[in-house]
Amino acid sequence: MKKKWKSLSLALFILAGAAACLHLSGGRAFAEDGAGDWRKTYDMVMMYVNFGILVFVLVKYGKNPLMSYLRTRQDAIAAEISDLENEKALVLEKINEARKTMAAGDARFAEVKETIVRMGEKRRQELIEEAEKESRFMMTMAEQKVGGYILMAKRAFKEQLIDASVNLALKRLPEKITEEDNQRLFDQYLSTVGHAMK
């Protein structure tokens, strides 16, 4: 039933619009073909009556479809605005999340950097300690080598000194030792060996 009334109101609306257009555009020219002064007044009154009928028809039958259209359009625009506001809220939320993530990333980067610097400092200290230990070990080894070389040099010097002394003694003693000295040295040797045997 509502569809029928809508169709009827639409048809009346179109008819009224056509009549209004015809009346406003050329109605006065058709009415003046053979008329007198009363015709002007009649035409003017009829124009106002027709205009009133047109307004009545438009208000009566065009108000509801027009209001319905405007309400539909208003609801659609409100829905669009609501969707855009929701989308804006989602975008703002994502932006805030991205900012939080960036802040967390910056904090994590600073923490990782600090950890790496700390580890590097610790490793540097360990390397310094290892180098000091190694240098102490090398110094100890060098001292031992030098001490060994010194002992070897002392032994070699003593051996050479002893050899030289023995050679010198062998050259000079036969001339200076007498038979009495030989007997005394022999007796002294025997007494030393005798005490050692006891």
Side-chain angles (χ1 to χ4, degrees):
M1 189 76 176
K2 279 190 175 183
K3 269 190 173 182
K4 204 180 238 189
W5 279 108
K6 278 189 180 180
S7 300
L8 184 62
S9 63
L10 184 62
L12 286 173
F13 180 77
I14 292 171
L15 266 169
C21 288
L22 182 66
H23 194 52
L24 290 175
S25 65
R28 201 179 267 176
F30 293 129
E32 288 183 8
D33 281 342
D37 284 339
W38 67 272
R39 191 71 182 170
K40 283 185 179 179
T41 309
Y42 176 76
D43 287 341
M44 183 66 74
V45 169
M46 286 310 285
M47 187 168 48
Y48 284 119
V49 169
N50 284 338
F51 182 72
I53 292 170
L54 177 65
V55 169
F56 174 75
V57 167
L58 286 176
V59 169
K60 177 76 175 170
Y61 298 107
K63 179 179 136 184
N64 289 337
L66 182 63
M67 292 305 286
S68 174
Y69 171 75
L70 290 176
R71 279 192 199 105
T72 306
R73 193 71 188 127
Q74 179 184 6
D75 291 344
I77 290 172
E80 269 184 53
I81 289 172
S82 175
D83 289 345
L84 288 173
E85 285 176 353
N86 290 339
E87 194 173 323
K88 178 185 173 185
L90 286 173
V91 168
L92 287 175
E93 186 178 331
K94 286 182 181 178
I95 288 171
N96 288 334
E97 286 177 10
R99 284 182 181 158
K100 286 178 186 175
T101 304
M102 284 175 62
D106 289 345
R108 178 71 180 137
F109 176 74
E111 184 181 318
V112 168
K113 181 181 175 185
E114 185 179 330
T115 303
I116 289 172
V117 167
R118 225 180 3 217
M119 287 172 60
E121 195 63 35
K122 184 179 177 185
R123 181 64 183 147
R124 184 177 71 90
Q125 195 63 34
E126 287 174 357
L127 288 172
I128 289 171
E129 289 174 5
E130 285 178 14
E132 287 175 353
K133 283 181 186 174
E134 192 172 330
S135 67
R136 281 196 297 269
F137 177 74
M138 289 174 71
M139 287 294 289
T140 305
M141 292 299 291
E143 286 174 3
Q144 287 178 359
K145 281 184 180 179
V146 167
Y149 289 145
I150 289 173
L151 283 175
M152 285 173 53
K154 282 182 180 179
R155 279 189 196 139
F157 180 70
K158 281 182 183 177
E159 288 173 2
Q160 288 176 359
L161 187 61
I162 290 170
D163 286 342
S165 298
V166 168
N167 286 337
L168 186 64
L170 285 176
K171 283 183 184 175
R172 289 189 180 176
L173 278 180
E175 299 172 358
K176 300 219 179 190
I177 292 184
T178 60
E179 199 55 45
E180 291 175 6
D181 291 331
N182 275 338
Q183 189 60 39
R184 194 171 22 104
L185 284 172
F186 183 70
D187 291 339
Q188 193 178 13
Y189 174 72
L190 285 175
S191 68
T192 306
V193 170
H195 286 302
M197 299 282 278
K198 291 181 183 177

